[in-house]
Every structure is written in structure tokens, then in C-alpha cells.
Amino acid sequence: MNFKDYLSIAPEIEEAIKAGKPIVALESTILSHGMPFPENVEFAHQVEVVVRNAGAIPATTAIIGGKLKVGLTPEELDLMCKAENVGKVSRRDVATYLATGMTGATTVATTMLIAAMAGLRVFATGGIGGVHRDGENTMDISADLQELAHTPVAVVCAGCKQILDIGRTLEYLETMGVPVLGYKTDDFPAFYCRKSGFGVDYNAPDAATIAKIIKTKDDIGFNSGMIIGNPIPEEYGLDFDEMEAVIKEALVKADAEGVRGKNITPFLLAQIKQITKGKAFASNVQLAYNNAKVAAEIAVELAKLD
């Protein structure tokens, strides 16, 4: 394999890898397709500050100029935020974007892939993709789940997005042998909401325990990823039943407009933001910051063990 020919690691990140310093991978789809400009610019810079304040180094990923980028310059972050001719890139798209030089924002799956290539083991995102509602008929299942089954990166998230079928998503993860931990919770989070009604495999009391589990999993040669469900801070959490009503309204609009495939998630999130008059968007930002903080704490503890 010659993947290193396509890997472009920022000097700070490269030095941190060699020195064994804690690093947190970050995605760029949340910038290009998950938040509007210019609000995403503030988020892009602030989420990196959150990681640094917790003792780790941020490594935002993207595909730019035929390279898998690990760590972006301020100019590259702005490029992703303006999202002009920036595609949403999952695993199936990676070779095409590299070969053609197109600019791509990395999803959870692609960020995991790039992080693993660079040797990074902890990744913070908002929420993972999963089995979509009515997925048993449409077979609309996010590539994130397959990546979690085969790529050894721990993903800190506020559960999966509430627009999904949470129960079937967890069943899929169980079938693929992916551990689902809760960070100080027995209940799997539901993105905007602290609880989904579904349980986790293990309630981890602190970042040090999670780091030990990650190291043990790697030591015994298990190559799957891992989910760390981190509930949204209580003051920003929304009511589950109220959000269900909002999501159903958004799903009706998506069906009426024929929105399918990779476009469905950004469409639904935009609709939810509009219906809740920005309240859901504010929660989205806060849960992402919280995940970045916890991921950095885990990365710090993991670096101590290594």
C-alpha cells in the first residue's frame, strides 16, 4: 500500500505523533455541510481551542489538492467553511477525490479512515450516522457503522443523530462487535437529548477508564473502533418527545421533496434548525464542544498509558 504518498500531516501534528503527545482528530463535514457560513468559522476555530485547553492537539481532516489532510491551516479551515465546491466524502468517494483533486469534507467514516492512517486513536464528532428510519426497507445505512467495525479509532459522540433509528443502529453495532461505552451514563445519548431509552454496554466513570479500555482493545489485537456516548450538557439538552415531533415534521418535508442518500442528513438538520428557530443548532454546537473536551481528556490519559 502506498497510502502515505497521499497523506499530508501538518508539521505540528507530525511532531506530536513522534513525541507521543495526545491528539484528537476532528471531521470537516460538520463545517461544510452541518453548519451555515459564517457561524461555522467561529465553531471551526473554537473547537480546536477547546481541544487545546483540555491538553491535546486538534487535527481537523479534509481532502484538499489530492491529499488526505491531517491538521488544517486557518486558510484551509476557511476553505472548508465557505464550502464552495466542497463535496461530502465517505469511504467510497476517497479514491475519486484524490485522483481528481476535488475538495472534500470528511464524514465520520472518512475521518476515522484518515486518523487510522496517521496513527491517531481518538476522534471527536457531533453524532455518528446509523440506520435510517425505515432502513429495513430502504437499506439506508450509514457507512460510519462499517468503518466502526473495521477501523481502530475511538469515537466520542453524543450518540447517534436522533433522526435515525437508534435501536437498529445499536443492534447493528452489536452485530459488528463494536463496543458502545457511555461516559458517566447508562443510557445511550440521542444527540440533542441526554437519553434515548436504550442502554450502553458499559458506563465508564472517567476518561482514564476509557483510555485503559482503548489500550487493552488495541493490545489484544481487536481492530474495531469504539463508541463513547457522551451526553449533551444538561443545560443544553432538549426534550426527547418534543424533538421527535420536530423530526417527524422534517421527515415529511424530506419525503415530499424526494431527498435521499447522502443529502438526507444535512437536509433534516437544516429543517430541524428552522423548525426549532435555532434552538437545536445551538444545542448542536454545545454538544460538539463537549465531545471535543472529553475526547481530549481521553487522549491525554491514553498518552500517559502509552
Side-chain angles (χ1 to χ4, degrees):
M1 291 190 296
N2 297 318
F3 70 82
K4 290 184 179 178
D5 294 342
Y6 298 95
L7 200 58
S8 174
I9 303 176
E12 181 190 19
I13 310 293
E14 197 159 28
E15 289 173 15
I17 292 170
K18 290 176 183 175
K21 293 181 180 178
I23 305 168
V24 174
L26 301 168
E27 61 161 295
S28 49
T29 289
I30 195 171
L31 306 179
S32 300
H33 303 281
M35 295 184 180
F37 183 85
E39 290 99 321
N40 54 5
V41 177
E42 180 183 356
F43 173 82
H45 294 281
Q46 185 59 33
V47 73
E48 294 201 347
V49 170
V50 169
V51 171
R52 291 186 189 279
N53 286 347
I57 296 167
T60 303
T61 63
I63 299 179
I64 301 173
K67 296 290 185 181
L68 302 167
K69 305 287 287 189
V70 183
L72 303 184
T73 65
E75 293 75 22
E76 289 169 335
L77 278 175
D78 286 345
L79 173 69
M80 302 314 293
C81 289
K82 288 177 181 175
E84 296 171 1
N85 298 315
V86 175
K88 182 180 178 183
V89 179
S90 193
R91 174 183 270 265
R92 70 177 183 182
D93 310 303
V94 171
T96 300
Y97 272 72
L98 289 174
T100 60
M102 292 189 291
T103 302
T106 52
T107 60
V108 168
T110 316
T111 304
M112 288 184 71
L113 177 71
I114 295 172
M117 287 179 176
L120 310 186
R121 296 155 73 189
V122 181
F123 161 38
T125 186
I128 61 165
V131 180
H132 280 261
R133 299 185 188 208
D134 199 36
E136 67 273 23
N137 296 313
T138 65
M139 292 301 291
D140 190 349
I141 301 170
S142 171
D144 296 354
L145 302 187
Q146 275 293 313
E147 206 65 47
L148 280 158
H150 302 296
T151 305
V153 174
V155 181
V156 180
C157 60
C160 66
K161 297 178 178 71
Q162 197 178 339
I163 58 176
L164 304 171
D165 186 324
I166 298 174
R168 283 188 169 89
T169 297
L170 290 171
E171 288 288 352
Y172 193 109
L173 290 168
E174 180 184 3
T175 299
M176 301 308 293
V178 179
V180 178
L181 309 186
Y183 181 67
K184 301 180 181 180
T185 181
D186 291 309
D187 201 296
F188 188 67
F191 202 61
Y192 304 113
C193 309
R194 290 178 61 82
K195 295 183 178 182
S196 67
F198 294 93
V200 296
D201 300 327
Y202 175 69
N203 180 345
D206 50 45
T209 301
I210 294 172
K212 189 174 181 181
I213 294 171
I214 293 169
K215 185 177 187 304
T216 303
K217 181 185 69 66
D218 293 348
D219 285 348
I220 60 179
F222 282 11
N223 289 321
S224 69
M226 179 186 296
I227 292 290
I228 297 105
N230 180 38
I232 183 172
E234 199 157 354
E235 62 268 33
Y236 300 109
L238 304 180
D239 180 79
F240 187 89
D241 293 334
E242 287 180 11
M243 287 308 300
E244 276 295 298
V246 168
I247 289 164
K248 285 176 182 176
E249 183 179 340
L251 285 166
V252 169
K253 290 185 179 180
D255 189 55
E257 295 186 26
V259 182
R260 299 284 186 276
K262 66 165 65 177
N263 297 320
I264 187 70
T265 297
F267 176 88
L268 291 175
L269 292 178
Q271 288 295 317
I272 290 166
K273 178 186 176 185
Q274 182 178 331
I275 295 167
T276 62
K277 299 178 180 178
K279 191 176 179 182
F281 176 77
S283 293
N284 191 353
V285 170
Q286 293 301 324
L287 69 83
Y289 287 153
N290 190 44
N291 293 340
K293 175 179 175 291
V294 171
E297 292 169 354
I298 294 167
V300 167
E301 295 298 330
L302 190 57
K304 291 177 185 176
L305 295 175
D306 290 338

